[in-house]
Amino acid sequence: MANHGDGKINRTGPSASLVEHFVGVGLIKENGDGGTESLLELLLTYKATSNEPSSVDNCSASGCGPRTVDKNSVILANCDAQGADRSSNKDLTSDDSSDEDFQQDMSQKDEKIESLVRMGFPKDEAEMAVVRCGQDAPVYVLADFIYTSEASEDGYYGNFSEHEDNSYGGRKEKRKRLEGAEEGSRDSDEPMPLPNPMIGYNLPNQRLRSVDRCLPSKAIGPPFFYYENVAIAPKGVWTKISRFLYDIQPEFVDSRFLCAAARKRGYIHNLPIKNRSPLLPLPPRTIFEAFPRTKKWWPTWDPRKQLNCLLTNVAKPKMMEQIHCALAKCEGPPPRRVQKYVLETCREGNLVWVGLNKVAHLEPNEMELLLGFPKDHTRGIAMTERYKSLGNSFHVDTVAYHLSVLRDMFPHGMNVLSLFSGIGGAEVALHRLGIRMKTVVSVEISEVNRFVLRSWWDQTQTGTLIEIADVQSLTSERLERFISRIGGFDLVIGGSPCNNLAGRNRFSRDGLEGEHSSLFYHYSRILDTVKSIMDRK
């Protein structure tokens, strides 16, 4: 897009369709009145609410070349453009015309409603979330509002709506089952409602909730078993997982009740739920407790006390540089719109304040602390692999709290079948509980993860670690040989890949039929086989 000095825009370049779009929605007039710089500011501000990447040519006085515009960087680019135009008496804190604000607000609201609808939420619930939370709220906050609203209203786990009563509320079904759905059909992309608060049966320093947990006879061990995966999965996934794991209902827990970072997970197990005990010392519960040095630089307009779920990647350095540059140009507190986009970026990337106007992503050792691993647990592998491995791991303190009931049952140690072991979250949890692992058969396909687990094992354990690369190679014959050699497994534990379940996967969120997440069926197959062999012994 180029300006020829007369206020008219040339539409022969690659941005022609973008210009036509803005004309069509009424944000600019056909003749482009207002000058190049004001038009650029308007386009950037409007584009901040769009999810479709595009390019605009920045022809402001700053002389910058073409730049790619995305959700997180637009407001920073807008701040840059204003900073370069101070001679025109535009103040960063000043507002544009009320008409432009109204048009921008309406567009932002519609975009967020459309995003929620694409995620599978009903339109009326999406609209209500925007009304209740405000249209400044990020999409993930709106989605969480819908989840928790449904749970608190209906008092049940959405995928178990066929039961009149359950252990989390005992209310009758209030929502109709998806019309036309057939048994065994492919999982819908509609998210499921989750309990609020997401604390499972109980957590440390809380009394045991009134729970009528009666396990089916076929679910009772030996062995004990424990399965984990992401809580916010496509609708129908947890129903299917439960059906394959003896119809046991999941226990949903968000790690934010145990540490300074959220991690919403579902756990299906046949463990007792009384007499649990947490790992000591208790982990830090807030950002400042976990990382006290950040408090010095934390701005008053950043209200975060905890971090979001720790992911497998981190924010790019360029984004952190843009945030620093934009904030440094502001005299005093940044204007509200800059605060809003900085906060949204910090929340999504789990950025923390490490200097004046300076944010940074978490270092791997900081993620290890939050997830309950020993310091330098993943040190010695590539940085990208460290983030990937940690982002896919168990939250050790949550798992250890659930497994703590085994401590008195196995004073002389136990044999463990660890499926999808990753970097050894289950093994670290058992070790921190003081439970000796006599033999662990670990199944993990990643060579990097096997290296991490083996390195930790050699430094801390005296038992035997048997490593297997592919879960599909663990046949019934092989399992029978292991059981005959060691006398049986006391615990079968693991969490199959969540690649096709996680909400951030917008390309192959295929539920349990996805290429990676379908490996869950091997967990079920292996558990059934182990139980069958041990029943015959």
Side-chain angles (χ1 to χ4, degrees):
M1 181 173 66
N3 187 289
H4 296 289
D6 55 1
K8 295 184 179 180
I9 301 171
N10 177 12
R11 300 188 184 170
T12 60
S15 302
S17 60
L18 181 63
V19 176
E20 295 289 353
H21 169 70
F22 284 111
V23 172
V25 298
L27 281 180
I28 60 175
K29 297 180 181 180
E30 187 70 27
N31 62 0
D33 290 343
T36 305
E37 293 168 359
S38 61
L39 177 57
L40 172 66
E41 179 182 349
L42 178 57
L43 289 177
L44 287 172
T45 305
Y46 177 82
K47 185 56 187 170
T49 62
S50 173
N51 291 324
E52 297 181 13
S54 62
S55 297
V56 295
D57 295 336
N58 185 348
C59 303
S60 68
S62 63
C64 296
R67 77 193 326 169
T68 300
V69 183
D70 59 37
K71 178 182 70 173
N72 293 317
S73 63
V74 167
I75 191 65
L76 305 179
N78 194 16
C79 187
D80 288 344
Q82 288 178 326
D85 193 37
R86 293 191 184 277
S87 60
S88 62
N89 296 322
K90 287 187 178 180
D91 187 355
L92 270 172
T93 60
S94 66
D95 293 326
D96 296 326
S97 69
S98 58
D99 288 343
E100 289 178 357
D101 283 343
F102 175 77
Q103 289 170 329
Q104 179 179 344
D105 289 344
M106 290 301 295
S107 173
Q108 185 179 49
K109 178 180 178 181
D110 292 342
E111 287 284 346
K112 290 186 176 179
I113 290 174
E114 286 184 15
S115 295
L116 292 168
V117 170
R118 286 196 299 269
M119 292 169 65
F121 294 107
K123 185 175 181 180
D124 59 337
E125 293 186 14
E127 291 174 341
M128 179 58 68
V130 173
V131 170
R132 294 284 182 87
C133 300
Q135 55 198 41
D136 288 345
V139 171
Y140 69 87
V141 172
L142 299 174
D144 278 349
F145 173 83
I146 299 176
Y147 293 138
T148 55
S149 294
E150 288 178 340
S152 60
E153 176 186 353
D154 296 342
Y156 72 97
Y157 288 121
N159 287 333
F160 295 95
S161 57
E162 64 270 23
H163 301 296
E164 287 191 2
D165 297 286
N166 61 59
S167 59
Y168 288 89
R171 293 191 182 184
K172 293 184 177 181
E173 173 184 354
K174 289 187 177 182
R175 295 168 62 97
K176 294 181 179 179
R177 304 187 71 175
L178 188 64
E179 295 182 2
E182 298 179 357
E183 185 72 18
S185 63
R186 182 168 174 164
D187 303 318
S188 166
D189 279 341
E190 182 179 347
M192 65 173 294
L194 297 170
N196 182 31
M198 198 182 296
I199 58 173
Y201 297 119
N202 66 329
L203 286 179
N205 302 321
Q206 295 180 346
R207 66 180 181 86
L208 183 68
R209 301 177 67 178
S210 178
V211 175
D212 181 19
R213 177 173 158 92
C214 183
L215 295 176
S217 58
K218 59 184 178 181
I220 298 174
F224 288 109
F225 70 89
Y226 187 87
Y227 175 81
E228 179 258 20
N229 217 314
V230 293
I232 304 176
K235 187 173 183 180
V237 164
W238 278 105
T239 298
K240 187 175 293 186
I241 292 175
S242 173
R243 188 163 64 245
F244 275 83
L245 296 180
Y246 316 112
D247 295 313
I248 299 177
Q249 293 191 18
E251 178 177 9
F252 291 106
V253 180
D254 187 344
S255 67
R256 72 184 181 89
F257 295 104
L258 285 165
C259 75
R263 202 172 192 78
K264 299 176 181 178
R265 295 293 187 266
Y267 305 89
I268 292 183
H269 58 83
N270 64 348
L271 298 167
I273 60 175
K274 295 182 179 179
N275 300 320
R276 293 169 163 177
S277 57
L279 292 175
L280 298 175
L282 295 174
R285 291 279 302 276
T286 67
I287 297 173
F288 294 159
E289 290 174 0
F291 313 119
R293 287 183 297 178
T294 64
K295 189 172 184 179
K296 177 181 179 181
W297 307 109
W298 210 271
T300 56
W301 46 268
D302 186 342
R304 291 178 298 155
K305 298 292 187 294
Q306 292 183 307
L307 298 166
N308 288 328
C309 187
L310 306 179
L311 304 177
T312 56
N313 51 22
V314 294
K316 296 180 179 179
K318 182 178 179 181
M319 179 57 62
M320 294 178 278
E321 292 171 7
Q322 288 176 319
I323 290 176
H324 176 76
C325 178
L327 294 177
K329 291 180 179 178
C330 300
E331 298 178 0
R336 183 178 176 183
R337 62 186 178 211
V338 175
Q339 292 181 20
K340 181 179 70 173
Y341 284 99
V342 169
L343 281 175
E344 184 170 347
T345 303
C346 288
R347 286 191 178 105
E348 290 184 359
N350 277 326
L351 304 179
V352 294
W353 298 92
V354 296
L356 180 62
N357 298 326
K358 183 181 179 182
V359 293
H361 56 66
L362 296 173
E363 296 296 326
N365 63 304
E366 294 173 325
M367 289 180 64
E368 290 168 348
L369 169 68
L370 293 171
L371 291 169
F373 289 95
K375 185 178 180 182
D376 294 332
H377 184 72
T378 56
R379 191 171 182 179
I381 62 176
M383 191 69 69
T384 54
E385 292 292 343
R386 294 184 73 181
Y387 284 116
K388 181 179 178 181
S389 298
L390 288 164
N392 286 324
S393 71
F394 280 163
H395 178 244
V396 172
D397 287 270
T398 300
V399 174
Y401 182 66
H402 294 160
L403 297 181
S404 62
V405 296
L406 302 176
R407 185 161 36 197
D408 295 335
M409 296 184 189
F410 299 95
H412 303 297
M414 61 194 309
N415 297 320
V416 180
L417 176 55
S418 178
L419 305 176
F420 314 103
S421 299
I423 55 175
E427 290 79 0
V428 171
L430 290 168
H431 172 68
R432 292 189 61 193
L433 286 167
I435 299 176
R436 178 174 177 263
M437 290 166 278
K438 295 185 292 186
T439 301
V440 170
V441 177
S442 170
V443 186
E444 170 57 42
I445 197 167
S446 167
E447 184 177 354
V448 169
N449 289 345
R450 293 200 304 271
F451 170 79
V452 171
L453 175 56
R454 168 61 72 178
S455 299
W456 173 83
W457 183 275
D458 290 343
Q459 296 175 57
T460 61
Q461 306 301 304
T462 59
T464 301
L465 176 64
I466 301 172
E467 297 179 280
I468 298 174
D470 190 352
V471 70
Q472 300 178 76
S473 70
L474 199 55
T475 62
S476 57
E477 293 79 10
R478 201 171 185 183
L479 285 167
E480 186 146 18
R481 289 197 297 271
F482 283 133
I483 290 172
S484 298
R485 186 194 313 174
I486 65 177
F489 291 107
D490 303 302
L491 175 66
V492 178
I493 189 168
S496 54
C498 65
N499 305 51
N500 309 117
L501 306 183
R504 287 178 176 266
N505 186 343
R506 293 288 175 244
F507 302 100
S508 58
R509 197 169 188 240
D510 302 321
L512 292 177
E513 310 313 314
E515 176 184 359
H516 302 284
S517 294
S518 62
L519 292 173
F520 157 74
Y521 296 112
H522 285 286
Y523 180 97
S524 173
R525 170 186 66 82
I526 292 168
L527 177 60
D528 283 342
T529 302
V530 170
K531 286 179 66 67
S532 177
I533 295 172
M534 292 180 64
D535 285 344
R536 299 198 307 264
K537 297 294 183 181

